Amino acid sequence: MTDVTDSAPIGSESVRLSPTGVDGMDEICDMTFLPPTSDHSYFGAHMGCGNNVNGDGHNDLVITAQEWNSGAGRAYLYYGGLSMNANPDKTFEGEHPGDRFGQDACLGDVNGDGYADVIIGAVFYSNERGRESTSIMAARIWIPRAI
């Protein structure tokens, strides 16, 4: 990955992107990602980058917002490359309030097909709604099929 993400404090809910190169990284922010909604969702608390999800030869970025919609959580996928912008290319949502979908996220090729898959954790997910539990941990994996 030739880009470095700099996660600001959680309260600011923004992510800044600056490229690196032969001469190193400068002090100028090249792109700022802001949460698509203004609901104190902890946007930017967790990110994953460094792998190519859509097969265009550029590394992509996933940024999560684990507190979106009463803690159901949301994750935003941004395709890298020369035309990269701060608008999400794909959005994933948690299923239930309190799941904390987006507690962690990464991009990696889990099925060996040469493309990165999107892996997003939901620390309090339970498929048995109504059952009280703080020890259920789950991850959801999206395997790209013409994303």
Side-chain angles (χ1 to χ4, degrees):
M1 175 93 178
T2 58
D3 296 321
V4 174
T5 57
D6 177 18
S7 176
I10 291 173
S12 69
E13 295 190 354
S14 68
V15 177
R16 295 172 295 170
L17 188 67
S18 298
T20 60
V22 176
D23 297 325
M25 186 167 70
D26 59 26
E27 298 296 322
I28 300 169
C29 174
D30 295 277
M31 189 175 300
T32 299
F33 298 84
L34 297 171
T37 62
S38 59
D39 60 357
H40 304 292
S41 61
Y42 282 41
F43 178 85
H46 300 280
M47 296 177 280
C49 61
N51 287 292
N52 183 12
V53 174
N54 62 342
D56 66 356
H58 298 282
N59 292 322
D60 302 316
L61 172 67
V62 62
I63 302 175
T64 70
Q66 70 193 33
E67 294 296 323
W68 175 82
N69 192 21
S70 299
R74 192 181 246 187
Y76 305 93
L77 180 63
Y78 302 85
Y79 298 143
L82 297 176
S83 62
M84 183 179 198
N85 61 50
N87 298 316
D89 293 293
K90 187 129 180 93
T91 301
F92 306 96
E93 295 182 359
E95 294 178 21
H96 306 286
D99 283 350
R100 300 301 186 264
F101 177 76
Q103 177 69 31
D104 206 351
C106 67
L107 304 175
D109 185 6
V110 297
N111 64 348
D113 65 356
Y115 296 96
D117 306 309
V118 181
I119 301 127
I120 302 167
V123 71
F124 294 124
Y125 174 81
S126 172
N127 59 4
E128 297 179 30
R129 287 286 121 200
R131 188 177 98 193
E132 188 101 16
S133 175
T134 57
S135 62
I136 301 295
M137 298 186 82
R140 297 181 73 187
I141 300 174
W142 281 268
I143 297 174
R145 303 218 195 292
I147 284 183

